[in-house]
Amino acid sequence: MTVDPGELLLKGLPLPGGSSLLRGLAKLGVTTVADLLTYLPRRYEDRREITPIAELVGGTSATISARVTDLRVEKTWRRGVQRTIATLVDDSGAVDAIWYGRRFIERRLTVGTTIVATGRVKAMGWTKQLEAPEFSPIGGGDQVSAGRIVPIYRLTRGVTALSLRRAVRSLLDQFGPDLVDPLPGSVQSRNGLMPLAEAIEALHWPEEFDLRDAALRRLAFDELLAVQIALVHRSRRRAGGGAFSITPTKTELATIESHILGGLGGASARGKTPWTGDQRRAIDEILGDLATGSPMLRLLQGDVGTGKTAVAFVAAAATAAAGHQSALLAPTELLARQHAATAKRLLAPLGIEVALVLGGTPVAERRAARAAAADGHAALVIGTHALFAEGTQFASLGLVIVDEQHRFGVEERAKLLSKASREPHLLLMTATPIPRTIAQLLYADVASSELRELPSGRQPIRTAIRTSGDLERVWTFVDEEAAAGRQTFVVVPRISDAEADGEPEQGTTFDDDVAEAGATGVEAQAELLRERLPHRRIGVVHGQQRAAERTVAMQAFVAGETDVLVGTTVIEVGVDVPAASVMVILEAERFGLATLHQLRGRVGRGGDKGWCILVSDSDDEVAAARLQAIESTRDGFLLAEQDIALRGEGSVLGTSQSGLPPLRIATLAREEDRAIALVARTEAERLLDQRGEAEGEAALLVQSYARGWPIGRATGAALTESAPV
């Protein structure tokens, strides 16, 4: 009889730790047998090697085998806190083990018992102590914490290391041999994979580290196969749909490009090529896709300032010429307004009406925009999440353009696509280049166009690394730029001061739970600048402001009503301020490469020289490597590859951009896992039919993945939107 752990609740099972453990596990999102069996150790400790007491070294962790010769409880200077002291003896000497505030230790230890204990050694002059060691009696039948390779888990209140290990051991003893293995045997044998029951056992209780590695390889294969099944399903399902065939005539296309280039000022009287080579190639690729009648799925990767929006507007104008509509989805109202203003300037001469649909606009204005979309008068409809609403409908939606596409989930994009009578063409845009190694695996079903060249008139941005000791000169430079009519962004990593326990904004690399000493918040930095530059207008923007307040602050900066804008990474997304020439990033070591590159791209967009000043006092080697990388190159694609080498695929460069969940076990920064992903792609193509559907064994596998077994419930739930379940 096989057991599906995804359908078994922990509640009601006879687990060590009882209701207290269940409440603690629930805080960790662990409520089913599958959840607990796939709860990954964060590391392992090898406690098999026994160290003689005489050879213990202070400042290290060690495992000893010793007899308890004395046990006592003493008061401490801290009120209400007692300490338990056990004297442990082996053939080489004696050592005291000390636990503070853990009275249960006295009940678990007995004088005369021989135990295996593991803990950190603390040197106390000529003597040594073991600090709060974990222990198990030798021959006691409960060898879960000592004398073996031991899993170390992330814990929470109510869940101790011992209770969690005992609970996992209990489940494996009850269900281990009977755990259902959804992966077809033919797939396992072709790829030399460990059976699932053995893998789960070795994940938690490996006899050797090579068995742990084999277990992780099996689970990484399941995880990557689930991702590839979703991708193959998406690709084959879209390929089977019929989209509008959009084929502008040569005359129409020449008129479209002429008006857009004229509006951009791109055509030079001296005969320079109006489009960059990359833009020309991308336009031709997109128009080729639109002409086929098969739904386009293309990713337009444009490094900062390379002209993605102009390319997208050519596609929208071509769609309008064919009698159909386009929708452009933007992540913020400010960016949507910016796109709408640009679109009206470039496309109005072509007779293309642009409608702007925003949740924050007056009701009458929003109603008029939706009416123009519904009756077809608006050939280009631009908006934010308001485009998903039932009240927004289209007469003939042929093309969907998603800007900063990684900020929208698969389900959100699907809502917009569902508003078309036929499968619409889909153009995804991102200014965060995706490393080629990632794109080959997670975007195998997506055609890609890359923009690397800067259009004429854009000057390269100069980047410099400075320390806090240089800030006086930096602020003098900012003052000089303001005197010349140019503006400055100042970015800090958190909203409020660390001393006030402020939270970091998205894009920072340090732990949200740790208040970092010396971190200056937005408000405090703005106040410092008001004192240093009293004659300059200082604005503030951050994620905890109300959306309307944030929009007002950004619009004031765009309009030139403030000289310096102090903010967090909320300024990163696509905002275009032609007069902004300087980007100062304080404590720059706290940001990832992708974020630093995006922030740098916010300046130098109006023809003036742009400057990015990275301020850091950190001596961390990885942080220094990030800053040196951003200083040495302006190539976002190269930086994306370096980012992977420095910190893995990350939340920006990894699965989140593909609309798929983060990987828990596999990491595409590791060559071995990339090889597994390629094999998983081949297996996914075998498992699904030409319509992208799963039948027989494949259907059972997909259903098991959707329930989270053995890939984790959160991953399974996220894949449900994309997979054939």
Side-chain angles (χ1 to χ4, degrees), residues 313-327:
F313 284 162
V314 171
T319 302
H324 305 294
Q325 295 167 288
S326 300

Side-chain angles (χ1 to χ4, degrees), residues 331-409:
T332 66
E333 289 201 0
L334 182 65
L335 188 54
R337 290 181 186 278
Q338 181 176 293
H339 280 322
T342 304
K344 289 174 181 177
R345 187 179 83 247
L346 299 181
L347 303 182
L350 294 167
I352 295 175
E353 182 176 334
V354 178
L356 180 62
V357 179
L358 301 175
T361 54
V363 174
E365 187 178 330
R366 188 164 63 251
R367 186 180 294 126
R370 283 176 167 163
D375 63 20
H377 279 90
L380 175 58
V381 183
I382 298 174
T384 55
H385 291 76
L387 293 181
F388 305 144
E390 288 185 14
T392 305
Q393 299 297 327
F394 298 85
S396 180
L397 182 59
L399 171 66
V400 171
I401 303 166
V402 183
D403 194 15
E404 296 297 330
Q405 60 93 20
H406 60 281
R407 295 178 181 263
F408 298 96

Side-chain angles (χ1 to χ4, degrees), residues 636-721:
F637 291 87
L638 176 59
L639 287 172
E641 297 291 348
Q642 291 177 324
D643 208 12
I644 261 218
L646 289 171
R647 66 183 183 115
E649 64 268 18
S651 61
V652 176
L653 301 178
T655 51
S656 64
Q657 285 212 48
S658 66
L660 296 168
L663 300 175
R664 298 190 319 143
I665 301 170
T667 170
L668 297 178
R670 192 163 51 228
E671 185 176 354
E672 180 184 359
D673 287 349
R674 293 199 296 271
I676 292 174
L678 290 174
V679 173
R681 176 75 182 195
T682 300
E683 294 293 353
E685 290 172 344
R686 284 176 173 156
L687 288 166
L688 301 186
D689 63 23
Q690 290 306 307
R691 296 170 295 123
E693 303 301 328
E695 296 181 356
E697 282 187 316
L700 295 175
L701 171 67
V702 172
Q703 290 164 12
S704 182
Y705 283 167
R707 290 193 297 271
W709 178 248
I711 60 175
R713 190 148 45 103
T715 305
L719 286 170
T720 300
E721 293 298 328

Side-chain angles (χ1 to χ4, degrees), residues 417-502:
L417 295 173
S418 69
K419 294 178 181 290
S421 59
R422 301 172 69 172
E423 189 77 30
H425 298 285
L426 180 58
L427 179 63
L428 307 173
M429 299 199 300
T430 180
T432 304
I434 300 167
R436 192 171 299 278
T437 50
I438 300 295
Q440 289 171 344
L441 300 174
L442 297 184
Y443 286 85
D445 63 325
V446 181
S448 179
S449 297
E450 297 180 357
L451 304 183
R452 295 171 179 259
E453 302 171 68
L454 289 174
S456 59
R458 284 298 301 268
Q459 297 193 41
I461 301 165
R462 293 164 174 78
T463 305
I465 300 173
R466 297 290 184 264
T467 68
S468 58
D470 301 313
L471 279 176
E472 188 61 31
R473 285 191 298 152
V474 170
W475 301 139
T476 298
F477 177 62
V478 168
D479 190 30
E480 292 169 352
E481 289 292 288
R486 293 185 284 270
Q487 296 167 281
T488 296
F489 289 105
V490 177
V491 175
V492 297
R494 60 171 67 240
I495 295 168
S496 57
D497 287 355
E499 290 77 13
D501 198 26

Side-chain angles (χ1 to χ4, degrees), residues 62 109 111 171 255 264 282 286 321 350-351 376 392 442 466 482 504 565 603 606 614 719:
L109 280 177
V111 172
L171 290 185
T255 302
L264 292 171
I286 291 169
L350 294 167
T392 305
L442 297 184
R466 297 290 184 264
L565 184 64
V603 298
L614 308 173
L719 286 170

Side-chain angles (χ1 to χ4, degrees), residues 501-573:
D501 198 26
E503 290 298 317
E505 287 274 281
Q506 182 180 11
T508 53
T509 60
F510 55 90
D511 192 333
D512 286 5
D513 296 329
V514 179
E516 299 280 337
T520 303
V522 173
E523 298 290 351
Q525 185 60 52
E527 193 56 39
L528 288 172
L529 282 174
R530 291 186 184 106
E531 294 175 5
R532 174 62 180 79
L533 306 172
H535 49 297
R536 300 300 174 198
R537 299 162 298 175
I538 311 295
V540 169
V541 63
H542 56 74
Q544 287 185 3
Q545 292 172 320
R546 291 192 299 271
E549 184 181 358
R550 195 162 58 243
T551 299
V552 167
M554 289 300 305
Q555 287 177 336
F557 191 64
V558 171
E561 296 169 5
T562 50
D563 302 305
V564 179
L565 184 64
V566 183
T568 54
T569 53
V570 295
I571 69 168
E572 174 189 341
V573 185

Side-chain angles (χ1 to χ4, degrees), residues 3 11 610 707:
V3 174
K11 188 176 182 179
R707 290 193 297 271

